[in-house]
Amino acid sequence: MEKRNPAPPRSVYGMDIKLAQCFIAVDDHDKALAFYRDILGLEVRNDVAFEGMRWVTVGSPTQPGVEIVLEPPLADPNASPADKQAMAELLAKGMLRGVIFSTDDCDATFERIRAAGGEVLQEPIDQPYGVRDCSFRDPAGNMLRFNQPRKR
């Protein structure tokens, strides 16, 4: 069996790549803010109107360099009305990808979100791939998972 070489040290490439933003499609910014800010406890980083659009970002206070952009299902101004409608329908069905958050206490996170009215998809469970997780839907229909590494 051939042994693979590990990736060269970062200095060989001369760059450091980090996640800065990810995108979640929402159909109503105000409902999304009520969920992500008021229920999940994320801070609002930007809420800016520009040329008929709204740029809203939220993030965890413990990850100042990472933002979640809350955007319409198809934010491309050149998209056709049919494409925008198709994306809105996929969002309404919960067919667009969500995000996975990490937490140090899956059960407490679950109880807090459920008590605040979050739509439960899965109660906390130990998964065979090494995490305990649960899931909810946000107001737009996106699935959000919350996982905690299991103690060994």
Side-chain angles (χ1 to χ4, degrees):
M1 185 167 181
E2 186 176 312
K3 190 174 181 182
R4 293 185 178 184
N5 293 328
R10 185 185 79 179
S11 61
V12 171
Y13 296 119
M15 64 181 134
D16 184 15
I17 297 175
K18 297 177 184 173
L19 176 66
Q21 296 175 328
C22 66
F23 294 77
I24 296 178
V26 299
D27 56 356
D28 183 314
H29 280 103
D30 294 324
K31 286 181 184 175
L33 279 173
F35 180 80
Y36 287 94
R37 178 193 58 218
D38 302 338
I39 294 177
L40 297 189
L42 300 179
E43 61 187 18
V44 177
R45 306 266 175 82
N46 287 294
D47 189 347
V48 180
F50 180 71
E51 295 184 5
M53 300 286 288
R54 188 172 175 190
W55 180 261
V56 179
T57 62
V58 296
S60 170
T62 62
Q63 288 183 299
V66 179
E67 295 181 328
I68 298 170
V69 180
L70 305 175
E71 69 170 0
L74 189 58
D76 182 346
N78 299 315
S80 71
D83 287 345
K84 288 181 181 181
Q85 180 63 33
M87 290 298 288
E89 290 171 7
L90 288 171
L91 177 63
K93 292 178 184 179
M95 301 295 291
L96 301 181
R97 303 296 289 171
V99 296
I100 300 174
F101 292 93
S102 65
T103 178
D104 58 357
D105 189 335
C106 179
D107 294 275
T109 298
F110 174 83
E111 290 302 330
R112 185 173 51 81
I113 296 170
R114 184 176 62 120
E119 181 186 342
V120 176
L121 293 178
Q122 175 201 300
E123 294 190 6
I125 187 171
D126 290 334
Q127 298 289 2
Y129 43 88
V131 300
R132 181 167 182 79
D133 74 354
C134 62
S135 63
F136 291 86
R137 268 202 209 294
D138 75 1
N142 296 297
M143 180 177 62
L144 308 176
R145 300 192 77 80
F146 299 84
N147 72 32
Q148 166 191 354
R150 284 200 317 247
K151 295 175 178 82
R152 297 182 190 243

